[in-house]
Amino acid sequence: MRFQMRFLVFVSLLIFQFIQCSEKSNPADTIPSLSSLPNFKGEWTLEWENKIHQIQIDPEEKKVLFDGNEGLELDLDSVGIRIRAFDEESVKGYFLYSDIKPKSWIGTWENRVVRLIRRN
């Protein structure tokens, strides 16, 4: 009887630990549907290091063209977009959905605060 009780307690603790260690999804990683987000598709102008660059964002394809060149991709999360190079983990740009305005969008580019201007 004593062995059965200890065994039951051990199995219960083991199950409890397994449940506690299971990976839970982070709500910030949940991507909202594009239809619920402000429209950020299209051409934008970025002034960066005394030069003007053209950025074209396509959320459906998750692609970003920088001065007409490929090489950047778009990652969406629950609060904003990340722009990064295909072959890098570091983020080039980050823009919050809440900061988008009809003609401009404040965000960061390589750790500096910048503004995108909508070209349309």
Side-chain angles (χ1 to χ4, degrees), residues 17-74:
Q17 276 293 46
F18 181 72
I19 291 171
Q20 293 287 39
C21 292
S22 65
E23 189 174 321
K24 295 177 176 65
S25 67
N26 184 347
D29 294 334
T30 304
I31 301 170
S33 70
L34 288 175
S35 63
S36 68
L37 298 175
N39 180 21
F40 56 90
K41 180 179 182 173
E43 293 184 34
W44 297 85
T45 299
L46 167 68
E47 291 184 21
W48 175 248
E49 296 183 344
N50 298 323
K51 295 181 184 173
I52 295 175
H53 301 280
Q54 303 307 317
I55 296 178
Q56 189 166 357
I57 301 173
D58 186 350
E60 289 91 14
E61 297 289 323
K62 295 190 177 182
K63 288 175 50 175
V64 177
L65 298 179
F66 187 79
D67 290 335
N69 299 313
E70 295 185 1
L72 298 177
E73 69 180 1
L74 183 69

